[in-house]
Coordinates of all heavy atoms in Angstrom, one line a residue:
M9 N -33.4 218.6 258.2 CA -33.7 219.0 259.5 C -34.4 220.4 259.5 O -34.0 221.3 258.8 CB -32.5 219.0 260.4 CG -32.8 219.7 261.7 SD -31.9 219.4 263.2 CE -30.7 218.3 262.9
A10 N -35.4 220.6 260.4 CA -36.1 221.9 260.4 C -35.2 222.9 261.0 O -34.4 222.6 261.9 CB -37.3 221.7 261.2
S11 N -35.4 224.1 260.5 CA -34.7 225.2 261.1 C -35.6 226.5 261.3 O -36.6 226.5 260.7 CB -33.4 225.5 260.3 OG -33.8 226.1 259.1
A12 N -35.1 227.4 262.0 CA -35.9 228.6 262.2 C -36.0 229.4 260.9 O -36.8 230.3 260.8 CB -35.2 229.5 263.3
S13 N -35.2 229.0 259.9 CA -35.3 229.8 258.6 C -36.6 229.5 257.9 O -37.0 230.3 257.0 CB -34.2 229.4 257.7 OG -34.3 228.0 257.3
H14 N -37.4 228.5 258.3 CA -38.6 228.2 257.7 C -39.7 229.0 258.5 O -39.8 228.7 259.8 CB -39.0 226.7 257.6 CG -38.0 226.0 256.8 ND1 -37.8 226.3 255.5 CD2 -37.1 225.0 257.1 CE1 -36.9 225.4 254.9 NE2 -36.5 224.7 256.0
P15 N -40.4 229.9 257.9 CA -41.5 230.6 258.7 C -42.4 229.7 259.5 O -42.9 230.2 260.6 CB -42.2 231.5 257.7 CG -41.3 231.5 256.5 CD -40.4 230.2 256.5
T16 N -42.7 228.6 259.0 CA -43.8 227.8 259.7 C -43.2 226.8 260.6 O -43.8 226.2 261.5 CB -44.6 227.0 258.7 OG1 -43.7 226.2 257.9 CG2 -45.4 227.9 257.8
S17 N -41.8 226.6 260.7 CA -41.2 225.6 261.5 C -41.5 225.7 263.1 O -41.7 224.8 263.8 CB -39.7 225.6 261.3 OG -39.5 225.2 260.0
A18 N -41.3 227.1 263.5 CA -41.5 227.3 264.9 C -42.9 226.9 265.4 O -43.1 226.4 266.5 CB -41.2 228.7 265.2
R19 N -43.9 227.2 264.5 CA -45.3 226.8 265.0 C -45.7 225.4 264.7 O -46.7 224.9 265.2 CB -46.3 227.7 264.2 CG -46.1 229.2 264.6 CD -46.9 230.0 263.6 NE -46.4 229.8 262.3 CZ -46.6 230.6 261.3 NH1 -47.3 231.8 261.5 NH2 -46.1 230.4 260.1
S20 N -44.9 224.7 263.8 CA -45.3 223.3 263.4 C -44.5 222.3 264.2 O -43.5 221.8 263.6 CB -45.0 223.2 261.9 OG -45.7 224.2 261.2
T21 N -44.9 222.0 265.4 CA -44.1 221.2 266.2 C -44.8 219.8 266.5 O -44.1 218.9 267.0 CB -43.9 221.8 267.6 OG1 -45.1 222.2 268.2 CG2 -43.0 223.1 267.4
R22 N -46.0 219.6 266.2 CA -46.7 218.4 266.5 C -46.6 217.5 265.2 O -47.1 217.9 264.1 CB -48.2 218.6 266.8 CG -48.8 217.4 267.4 CD -50.2 217.7 267.9 NE -51.1 218.0 266.8 CZ -51.8 217.1 266.2 NH1 -51.6 215.8 266.6 NH2 -52.6 217.4 265.2
S23 N -46.2 216.2 265.3 CA -46.2 215.3 264.2 C -47.5 214.6 264.2 O -48.2 214.2 265.2 CB -45.1 214.2 264.4 OG -43.9 214.8 264.3
L24 N -48.0 214.3 263.0 CA -49.3 213.6 262.8 C -49.0 212.1 262.6 O -48.1 211.8 262.0 CB -50.0 214.2 261.6 CG -50.6 215.6 261.6 CD1 -51.2 215.9 260.3 CD2 -51.6 215.7 262.7
S25 N -50.0 211.3 263.0 CA -49.9 209.9 262.7 C -51.4 209.6 262.3 O -52.3 210.4 262.5 CB -49.5 209.0 263.8 OG -50.4 209.1 264.9
S26 N -51.5 208.4 261.7 CA -52.9 208.0 261.3 C -53.8 207.9 262.5 O -55.0 208.1 262.4 CB -52.9 206.6 260.6 OG -52.4 205.7 261.4
E27 N -53.3 207.8 263.7 CA -54.2 207.7 264.9 C -54.6 209.2 265.3 O -55.6 209.3 266.0 CB -53.4 207.1 266.1 CG -53.1 205.7 265.9 CD -51.9 205.4 265.0 OE1 -51.0 206.2 264.9 OE2 -51.9 204.3 264.3
D28 N -53.9 210.2 264.9 CA -54.3 211.5 265.2 C -55.4 212.2 264.4 O -55.9 213.2 264.7 CB -53.1 212.5 265.1 CG -52.0 212.1 266.1 OD1 -52.3 211.6 267.2 OD2 -50.8 212.3 265.8
T29 N -55.8 211.5 263.3 CA -56.7 212.1 262.4 C -57.7 211.1 261.9 O -57.4 209.9 261.9 CB -56.0 212.7 261.2 OG1 -56.9 213.2 260.3 CG2 -55.1 211.7 260.5
E30 N -58.9 211.5 261.6 CA -59.9 210.6 261.1 C -59.8 210.3 259.6 O -60.5 209.5 259.1 CB -61.3 211.2 261.5 CG -61.6 211.2 262.9 CD -63.0 211.7 263.3 OE1 -63.8 211.8 262.3 OE2 -63.2 212.0 264.4
V31 N -59.0 211.2 258.9 CA -58.7 210.9 257.5 C -57.3 210.5 257.4 O -56.4 211.3 257.7 CB -59.0 212.2 256.7 CG1 -58.7 212.0 255.2 CG2 -60.5 212.7 256.9
G32 N -57.1 209.3 257.0 CA -55.8 208.8 256.8 C -55.8 207.3 256.4 O -56.9 206.8 256.2
P33 N -54.7 206.8 256.1 CA -54.6 205.3 255.7 C -55.4 204.4 256.7 O -55.3 204.6 257.9 CB -53.1 205.1 255.7 CG -52.4 206.4 255.6 CD -53.3 207.4 256.3
G34 N -56.1 203.5 256.1 CA -56.9 202.6 256.9 C -58.3 203.1 257.4 O -58.9 202.3 258.0
T35 N -58.6 204.3 257.1 CA -59.9 204.8 257.5 C -61.0 204.7 256.5 O -62.2 205.0 256.8 CB -59.8 206.3 257.9 OG1 -59.4 207.1 256.7 CG2 -58.8 206.5 259.0
G36 N -60.6 204.3 255.3 CA -61.7 204.3 254.2 C -61.8 205.5 253.4 O -62.4 205.5 252.4
E37 N -61.3 206.6 253.9 CA -61.4 207.9 253.2 C -60.3 207.9 252.1 O -60.6 208.2 250.9 CB -61.1 209.0 254.2 CG -62.2 209.1 255.2 CD -63.5 209.6 254.6 OE1 -63.5 210.4 253.7 OE2 -64.5 209.2 255.2
I38 N -59.0 207.7 252.4 CA -58.0 207.8 251.5 C -58.1 206.7 250.4 O -57.9 207.0 249.2 CB -56.6 207.7 252.2 CG1 -56.4 208.8 253.2 CG2 -55.4 207.6 251.2 CD1 -56.3 210.2 252.6
E39 N -58.4 205.6 250.8 CA -58.5 204.4 249.8 C -59.6 204.7 248.8 O -59.5 204.2 247.6 CB -58.8 203.1 250.5 CG -57.7 202.6 251.4 CD -57.9 203.3 252.8 OE1 -58.6 204.2 253.0 OE2 -57.1 202.7 253.8
D40 N -60.5 205.5 249.0 CA -61.6 205.9 248.1 C -61.2 206.9 247.1 O -62.0 207.2 246.2 CB -62.9 206.3 248.8 CG -63.5 205.1 249.7 OD1 -63.2 203.9 249.3 OD2 -64.2 205.4 250.6
V41 N -60.1 207.6 247.2 CA -59.7 208.6 246.3 C -59.5 208.0 244.9 O -58.7 207.1 244.8 CB -58.5 209.4 246.7 CG1 -58.0 210.3 245.7 CG2 -58.7 210.1 248.0
D42 N -60.2 208.5 243.9 CA -60.2 207.9 242.6 C -59.8 209.0 241.6 O -60.5 209.3 240.6 CB -61.5 207.4 242.2 CG -61.5 206.6 240.9 OD1 -60.4 206.1 240.5 OD2 -62.5 206.5 240.3
A43 N -58.7 209.6 241.9 CA -58.2 210.7 241.0 C -56.7 210.8 241.1 O -56.0 210.4 242.1 CB -58.7 212.0 241.5
K44 N -56.1 211.2 240.0 CA -54.6 211.4 240.0 C -54.3 212.4 241.1 O -54.9 213.4 241.2 CB -54.2 212.0 238.6 CG -52.8 212.3 238.4 CD -52.6 212.8 237.0 CE -51.3 213.5 236.8 NZ -51.1 214.1 235.5
T45 N -53.3 212.1 242.0 CA -53.1 212.8 243.2 C -51.6 213.1 243.3 O -50.8 212.3 243.2 CB -53.6 212.1 244.4 OG1 -54.9 211.8 244.2 CG2 -53.4 212.8 245.7
L46 N -51.3 214.4 243.6 CA -49.9 214.8 243.9 C -49.9 215.1 245.4 O -50.5 216.0 245.9 CB -49.5 216.0 243.1 CG -48.1 216.5 243.3 CD1 -47.1 215.5 242.9 CD2 -47.9 217.8 242.5
V47 N -49.1 214.4 246.2 CA -48.9 214.6 247.6 C -47.6 215.3 247.7 O -46.5 214.9 247.3 CB -48.8 213.2 248.4 CG1 -48.5 213.5 249.8 CG2 -50.0 212.4 248.1
I48 N -47.6 216.5 248.4 CA -46.5 217.4 248.5 C -46.2 217.6 250.0 O -47.1 217.9 250.7 CB -46.7 218.8 247.8 CG1 -46.9 218.6 246.3 CG2 -45.5 219.7 248.0 CD1 -47.3 219.8 245.5
R49 N -44.9 217.5 250.3 CA -44.5 217.8 251.7 C -43.2 218.4 251.7 O -42.4 218.1 250.8 CB -44.6 216.6 252.7 CG -43.5 215.6 252.5 CD -43.4 214.5 253.6 NE -43.3 214.9 254.9 CZ -42.0 215.2 255.4 NH1 -40.9 215.0 254.8 NH2 -42.0 215.6 256.7
G50 N -42.9 219.3 252.7 CA -41.6 219.8 252.8 C -40.8 218.8 253.6 O -41.3 218.2 254.6
E51 N -39.5 218.7 253.2 CA -38.6 217.7 254.0 C -38.5 218.1 255.4 O -38.2 217.3 256.2 CB -37.3 217.7 253.2 CG -37.2 216.9 251.9 CD -35.9 216.9 251.4 OE1 -34.9 217.6 251.8 OE2 -35.7 216.1 250.3
D52 N -38.6 219.4 255.7 CA -38.5 219.8 257.1 C -39.8 220.0 257.8 O -39.9 220.6 258.9 CB -37.7 221.2 257.1 CG -36.3 221.0 256.5 OD1 -35.7 220.0 256.5 OD2 -35.8 222.1 256.0
D53 N -40.9 219.5 257.3 CA -42.2 219.6 257.8 C -42.3 218.9 259.2 O -41.9 217.7 259.2 CB -43.2 218.9 256.8 CG -44.7 219.3 257.2 OD1 -44.9 219.6 258.5 OD2 -45.5 219.2 256.4
L54 N -42.6 219.5 260.3 CA -42.8 219.0 261.5 C -44.3 218.6 261.9 O -44.5 218.2 263.0 CB -42.2 219.9 262.5 CG -40.7 220.3 262.4 CD1 -40.3 221.3 263.5 CD2 -39.9 219.0 262.5
V55 N -45.1 218.9 260.9 CA -46.5 218.6 261.2 C -46.9 217.3 260.6 O -47.6 216.4 261.2 CB -47.4 219.8 260.6 CG1 -48.9 219.4 260.8 CG2 -47.1 221.1 261.3
V56 N -46.7 217.1 259.3 CA -47.0 215.9 258.6 C -45.7 215.1 258.4 O -44.8 215.6 257.8 CB -47.6 216.2 257.2 CG1 -47.9 215.0 256.5 CG2 -48.9 217.0 257.4
T57 N -45.7 213.9 259.0 CA -44.4 213.1 258.9 C -44.2 212.6 257.6 O -45.2 212.4 256.7 CB -44.6 211.9 260.0 OG1 -45.6 211.0 259.5 CG2 -44.8 212.4 261.4
R58 N -43.0 212.2 257.3 CA -42.5 211.6 256.0 C -43.3 210.2 255.9 O -43.9 209.9 254.8 CB -41.1 211.4 256.0 CG -40.6 210.6 254.7 CD -39.1 210.5 254.6 NE -38.7 211.9 254.2 CZ -37.6 212.5 254.8 NH1 -37.0 212.0 255.8 NH2 -37.3 213.7 254.3
E59 N -43.4 209.5 257.0 CA -44.1 208.1 256.9 C -45.5 208.3 256.6 O -46.1 207.5 255.8 CB -43.9 207.4 258.2 CG -44.6 206.1 258.3 CD -44.2 205.1 257.1 OE1 -43.1 205.2 256.6 OE2 -45.1 204.4 256.7
L60 N -46.2 209.3 257.2 CA -47.6 209.5 256.9 C -47.8 209.9 255.4 O -48.7 209.3 254.7 CB -48.2 210.5 257.8 CG -49.7 210.8 257.5 CD1 -50.5 209.6 257.7 CD2 -50.3 211.9 258.4
S61 N -47.0 210.7 254.9 CA -47.1 211.1 253.5 C -46.8 209.9 252.6 O -47.5 209.8 251.6 CB -46.0 212.2 253.2 OG -46.3 213.4 253.9
R62 N -45.9 209.1 252.9 CA -45.6 207.9 252.1 C -46.8 206.9 252.1 O -47.1 206.3 251.2 CB -44.3 207.3 252.5 CG -43.1 208.1 252.2 CD -41.8 207.4 252.6 NE -40.7 208.3 252.1 CZ -39.5 208.1 252.5 NH1 -39.2 207.2 253.4 NH2 -38.5 208.9 252.1
R63 N -47.3 206.7 253.3 CA -48.5 205.8 253.5 C -49.7 206.3 252.7 O -50.4 205.5 252.0 CB -48.8 205.6 254.9 CG -47.8 204.8 255.7 CD -48.2 204.3 257.0 NE -49.3 205.0 257.6 CZ -49.4 205.4 258.9 NH1 -48.4 205.1 259.7 NH2 -50.5 206.0 259.4
V64 N -50.0 207.6 252.8 CA -51.1 208.2 252.0 C -50.8 208.0 250.5 O -51.7 207.5 249.7 CB -51.2 209.7 252.3 CG1 -52.2 210.3 251.3 CG2 -51.8 209.8 253.7
T65 N -49.6 208.2 250.1 CA -49.3 208.0 248.7 C -49.4 206.6 248.2 O -50.0 206.3 247.1 CB -47.8 208.5 248.3 OG1 -47.7 209.9 248.8 CG2 -47.5 208.4 246.9
R66 N -49.1 205.6 249.1 CA -49.3 204.2 248.8 C -50.7 203.8 248.6 O -51.1 203.0 247.9 CB -48.6 203.4 249.8 CG -47.1 203.3 249.6 CD -46.5 202.2 250.4 NE -46.8 202.3 251.9 CZ -46.0 202.8 252.8 NH1 -44.9 203.4 252.4 NH2 -46.4 202.9 254.1
E67 N -51.6 204.4 249.5 CA -53.0 204.1 249.5 C -53.8 204.6 248.4 O -54.9 204.0 248.1 CB -53.6 204.6 250.9 CG -53.1 203.9 252.1 CD -53.5 202.5 252.2 OE1 -54.5 202.0 251.7 OE2 -52.7 201.7 252.8
I68 N -53.3 205.6 247.7 CA -54.0 206.1 246.5 C -53.4 205.6 245.3 O -52.2 205.7 245.1 CB -54.0 207.7 246.5 CG1 -54.6 208.3 247.8 CG2 -54.6 208.3 245.3 CD1 -54.3 209.8 248.0
D69 N -54.3 205.0 244.4 CA -53.8 204.2 243.3 C -52.9 205.1 242.4 O -51.9 204.6 241.9 CB -55.0 203.7 242.5 CG -55.6 202.4 243.2 OD1 -54.8 201.7 243.9 OD2 -56.7 202.2 243.0
D70 N -53.4 206.3 242.0 CA -52.6 207.1 241.0 C -52.0 208.3 241.8 O -52.3 209.4 241.4 CB -53.5 207.4 239.9 CG -52.8 208.1 238.7 OD1 -51.5 208.0 238.7 OD2 -53.4 208.6 237.8
A71 N -51.2 208.0 242.8 CA -50.6 209.1 243.6 C -49.0 209.2 243.4 O -48.4 208.1 243.1 CB -50.9 209.0 245.0
R72 N -48.5 210.4 243.5 CA -47.0 210.6 243.4 C -46.7 211.5 244.6 O -47.4 212.5 244.9 CB -46.7 211.2 242.1 CG -45.2 211.4 241.9 CD -45.0 211.8 240.4 NE -45.3 213.1 240.1 CZ -44.4 214.2 240.2 NH1 -43.2 214.0 240.4 NH2 -44.8 215.4 239.8
L73 N -45.6 211.3 245.2 CA -45.1 212.0 246.3 C -43.9 212.9 245.9 O -43.0 212.3 245.3 CB -44.7 211.1 247.5 CG -44.0 211.8 248.7 CD1 -44.9 212.8 249.4 CD2 -43.5 210.8 249.7
V74 N -44.0 214.2 246.2 CA -42.9 215.1 246.0 C -42.5 215.7 247.3 O -43.3 216.2 248.0 CB -43.3 216.2 245.0 CG1 -42.1 217.2 244.9 CG2 -43.6 215.6 243.6
E75 N -41.2 215.6 247.7 CA -40.8 216.2 248.9 C -39.8 217.4 248.5 O -38.9 217.2 247.8 CB -40.0 215.2 249.8 CG -40.9 214.1 250.4 CD -40.2 213.2 251.3 OE1 -39.5 212.3 250.8 OE2 -40.4 213.3 252.6
L76 N -40.2 218.5 249.0 CA -39.4 219.8 248.6 C -38.3 220.0 249.8 O -38.6 220.0 250.9 CB -40.4 220.9 248.6 CG -41.5 220.9 247.7 CD1 -42.5 222.0 247.8 CD2 -41.0 220.6 246.2
A77 N -37.1 220.1 249.2 CA -35.9 220.4 250.1 C -36.0 221.8 250.7 O -36.6 222.7 250.1 CB -34.6 220.3 249.2
E78 N -35.5 221.9 251.9 CA -35.4 223.1 252.6 C -36.8 223.8 252.7 O -36.9 225.0 252.5 CB -34.4 224.2 252.0 CG -33.0 223.5 252.0 CD -31.9 224.5 251.4 OE1 -32.2 225.7 251.3 OE2 -30.9 224.0 251.0
C79 N -37.8 223.0 253.0 CA -39.2 223.5 253.1 C -39.9 222.8 254.3 O -39.7 221.7 254.6 CB -39.9 223.0 251.8 SG -41.6 223.5 251.7
G80 N -40.6 223.7 255.0 CA -41.4 223.2 256.2 C -42.8 222.9 255.8 O -43.1 222.3 254.7
H81 N -43.7 223.2 256.6 CA -45.1 222.8 256.4 C -45.9 223.7 255.4 O -47.0 223.2 254.9 CB -45.9 222.8 257.8 CG -47.2 222.2 257.7 ND1 -47.5 220.9 257.4 CD2 -48.5 222.8 257.9 CE1 -48.8 220.8 257.5 NE2 -49.4 221.9 257.7
A82 N -45.4 224.8 255.0 CA -46.1 225.7 254.1 C -45.3 225.9 252.8 O -44.6 226.9 252.7 CB -46.3 227.0 254.8
P83 N -45.3 225.0 251.9 CA -44.5 225.2 250.7 C -44.9 226.4 249.9 O -44.0 227.0 249.2 CB -44.8 223.9 249.9 CG -46.0 223.3 250.5 CD -46.1 223.8 251.8
T84 N -46.1 227.0 250.1 CA -46.4 228.2 249.3 C -45.6 229.4 249.9 O -45.3 230.3 249.2 CB -47.9 228.5 249.4 OG1 -48.3 228.6 250.8 CG2 -48.7 227.6 248.7
V85 N -45.1 229.2 251.1 CA -44.4 230.3 251.8 C -42.8 230.0 251.8 O -42.0 230.8 251.3 CB -44.8 230.5 253.3 CG1 -43.8 231.4 254.0 CG2 -46.2 230.9 253.4
D86 N -42.5 228.7 252.1 CA -41.1 228.2 252.2 C -40.4 228.0 250.9 O -39.3 228.2 250.7 CB -41.0 227.0 253.0 CG -41.5 227.2 254.4 OD1 -41.5 228.3 254.9 OD2 -41.8 226.1 255.1
A87 N -41.1 227.6 249.9 CA -40.6 227.1 248.6 C -41.5 227.3 247.4 O -41.8 226.4 246.7 CB -40.0 225.7 248.7
P88 N -42.0 228.5 247.2 CA -43.0 228.7 246.1 C -42.5 228.4 244.7 O -43.4 227.8 244.0 CB -43.3 230.2 246.2 CG -42.2 230.8 247.0 CD -41.6 229.8 247.8
E89 N -41.4 228.6 244.4 CA -40.9 228.3 243.0 C -40.8 226.7 242.9 O -41.2 226.2 241.8 CB -39.5 229.0 242.7 CG -39.6 230.4 242.6 CD -40.5 230.9 241.5 OE1 -40.4 230.2 240.4 OE2 -41.2 231.9 241.7
E90 N -40.3 226.0 243.9 CA -40.2 224.6 243.8 C -41.5 224.0 243.8 O -41.7 223.0 243.1 CB -39.3 224.1 245.0 CG -37.9 224.5 245.0 CD -37.5 225.9 245.5 OE1 -38.6 226.6 245.9 OE2 -36.4 226.3 245.6
L91 N -42.4 224.6 244.5 CA -43.8 224.0 244.5 C -44.4 224.1 243.1 O -45.0 223.2 242.6 CB -44.7 224.8 245.5 CG -46.2 224.5 245.6 CD1 -46.4 223.0 246.0 CD2 -46.9 225.4 246.5
L92 N -44.2 225.3 242.5 CA -44.7 225.5 241.2 C -44.1 224.5 240.2 O -44.7 223.9 239.3 CB -44.4 226.9 240.7 CG -44.9 227.3 239.3 CD1 -46.5 227.1 239.2 CD2 -44.6 228.7 239.0
D93 N -42.8 224.3 240.3 CA -42.1 223.3 239.5 C -42.6 221.9 239.6 O -42.6 221.1 238.7 CB -40.6 223.3 239.9 CG -39.9 224.5 239.4 OD1 -40.4 225.3 238.6 OD2 -38.7 224.8 239.9
A94 N -43.2 221.6 240.9 CA -43.8 220.2 241.1 C -45.2 220.2 240.5 O -45.6 219.2 239.9 CB -43.8 219.9 242.6
V95 N -45.9 221.3 240.7 CA -47.3 221.2 240.4 C -47.5 221.4 238.8 O -48.4 220.7 238.3 CB -48.1 222.3 241.1 CG1 -49.5 222.5 240.6 CG2 -48.1 222.0 242.6
E96 N -46.8 222.3 238.2 CA -47.0 222.5 236.8 C -47.0 221.3 235.9 O -48.0 221.1 235.1 CB -46.1 223.6 236.3 CG -46.4 224.2 234.9 CD -45.5 225.3 234.5 OE1 -44.6 225.7 235.2 OE2 -45.8 225.8 233.4
P97 N -46.0 220.5 236.0 CA -46.0 219.3 235.1 C -47.1 218.3 235.5 O -47.7 217.6 234.7 CB -44.7 218.7 235.2 CG -44.1 219.3 236.4 CD -44.8 220.6 236.7
F98 N -47.5 218.3 236.8 CA -48.5 217.4 237.2 C -49.9 217.8 236.6 O -50.6 216.9 236.2 CB -48.6 217.5 238.7 CG -49.7 216.5 239.3 CD1 -49.5 215.2 239.4 CD2 -50.9 217.1 239.7 CE1 -50.4 214.4 240.0 CE2 -51.9 216.2 240.3 CZ -51.7 214.9 240.4
I99 N -50.2 219.0 236.6 CA -51.5 219.4 236.1 C -51.4 219.6 234.5 O -52.4 219.8 233.9 CB -52.0 220.7 236.7 CG1 -51.1 221.9 236.5 CG2 -52.3 220.5 238.2 CD1 -51.6 223.2 237.1
D100 N -50.2 219.6 234.0 CA -49.9 219.7 232.6 C -50.5 220.9 231.9 O -51.0 220.9 230.8 CB -50.5 218.4 231.9 CG -49.8 218.2 230.5 OD1 -48.7 218.7 230.3 OD2 -50.5 217.7 229.6
V101 N -50.5 222.0 232.8 CA -50.9 223.3 232.2 C -49.9 224.3 232.6 O -49.6 224.4 233.9 CB -52.3 223.6 232.9 CG1 -52.7 225.0 232.5 CG2 -53.4 222.6 232.5
P102 N -49.4 225.1 231.6 CA -48.4 226.2 232.1 C -49.1 227.1 233.0 O -50.2 227.5 232.8 CB -48.1 226.8 230.7 CG -48.6 225.9 229.6 CD -49.7 225.0 230.2
V103 N -48.4 227.5 234.0 CA -48.9 228.4 235.0 C -48.1 229.7 234.9 O -47.0 229.7 234.8 CB -48.8 227.9 236.4 CG1 -49.2 228.8 237.5 CG2 -49.5 226.6 236.5

């Protein structure tokens, strides 16, 4: 659940759905991604829904979803160490 402890939570109140954006599952954009992809979302994100993140991950052939605990919409602010822990093995380059 989102809380005021996340700096972005108070400003991030609108949930996205595929109908809200021209880039999303079923639009032809996501399905065309032909690259290894890491989809990252904060578990407390009030902007990008869990369902949208999962649908995007399913639509990209080589995608993996990581959900960061106690994190809102800005993982670089809310959970920088956890973000690095997710990204570093994905890119396979020590950071």
Side-chain angles (χ1 to χ4, degrees):
M9 169 151 3
S11 71
S13 66
H14 299 299
T16 58
S17 295
R19 294 174 298 204
S20 304
T21 58
R22 191 174 73 83
S23 293
L24 292 177
S25 70
S26 60
E27 293 78 30
D28 293 331
T29 180
E30 293 180 15
V31 178
T35 63
E37 296 288 330
I38 297 298
E39 297 87 346
D40 291 340
V41 173
D42 188 24
K44 180 179 168 185
T45 304
L46 181 62
V47 177
I48 300 174
R49 78 173 293 276
E51 287 182 349
D52 300 335
D53 191 336
L54 299 177
V55 177
V56 178
T57 65
R58 176 175 285 131
E59 178 55 31
L60 180 59
S61 298
R62 289 179 178 171
R63 287 190 344 219
V64 167
T65 302
R66 283 192 304 266
E67 294 293 330
I68 300 171
D69 286 334
D70 193 11
R72 184 169 74 96
L73 174 62
V74 173
E75 292 186 283
L76 303 176
E78 299 181 19
C79 179
H81 186 66
T84 56
V85 174
D86 296 343
E89 292 298 321
E90 294 81 356
L91 177 63
L92 183 60
D93 290 345
V95 172
E96 189 173 6
F98 178 78
I99 61 174
D100 198 30
V101 175
V103 180

